[in-house]
Amino acid sequence: NAPITAVLSEKDRESRSPSRTLDVSESGIGGLFHENWEPGIRLKLEVAFPIGRTPLKLGAIVRYRTGLRYGFEFVDLLPEERATLHELCQFLAARPAP
């Protein structure tokens, strides 16, 4: 349930859509958005994860949409971004279930 902003750049304009995450893995993330993106759209995701770092800016592709729920696959990740995602997933897996 971390803050997430999707940034879509088209021609000369940029649109930003803030929301909340639903889930995360080392290869992708889910979130709720009031948008009409089709699968295959490329965008940037800015995510503030709960591990004390500045928000990550990650390339992503819309992989599915069900109502307001979107699934994104991360693309073009740098090695340090992959390491941060791995660390995040380890941190979240070690937390006790609510």
Side-chain angles (χ1 to χ4, degrees):
N1 191 19
I4 184 171
T5 299
V7 182
L8 182 62
S9 296
E10 294 180 302
K11 299 183 183 173
D12 295 340
R13 66 173 225 176
E14 178 179 278
S15 62
R16 301 175 65 81
S17 300
S19 192
R20 304 296 290 179
T21 61
L22 295 172
D23 47 26
V24 65
S25 74
E26 292 183 43
S27 60
I29 196 164
L32 294 173
F33 289 92
H34 294 278
E35 298 295 340
N36 194 24
W37 300 316
E38 294 297 324
I41 298 265
R42 291 181 71 109
L43 40 74
K44 287 279 187 185
L45 298 174
E46 298 175 0
V47 189
F49 291 122
I51 55 175
R53 288 185 164 62
T54 59
L56 285 177
K57 295 179 182 180
L58 306 168
I61 295 177
V62 175
R63 286 299 178 204
Y64 71 84
R65 174 184 176 207
T66 306
L68 301 177
R69 184 182 180 112
Y70 282 86
F72 303 95
E73 177 185 357
F74 298 131
V75 295
D76 304 326
L77 295 179
L78 299 173
E80 53 270 15
E81 293 169 334
R82 287 190 189 282
T84 298
L85 287 168
H86 177 76
E87 180 183 338
L88 170 71
C89 289
Q90 296 291 351
F91 170 79
L92 293 174
R95 290 175 42 187

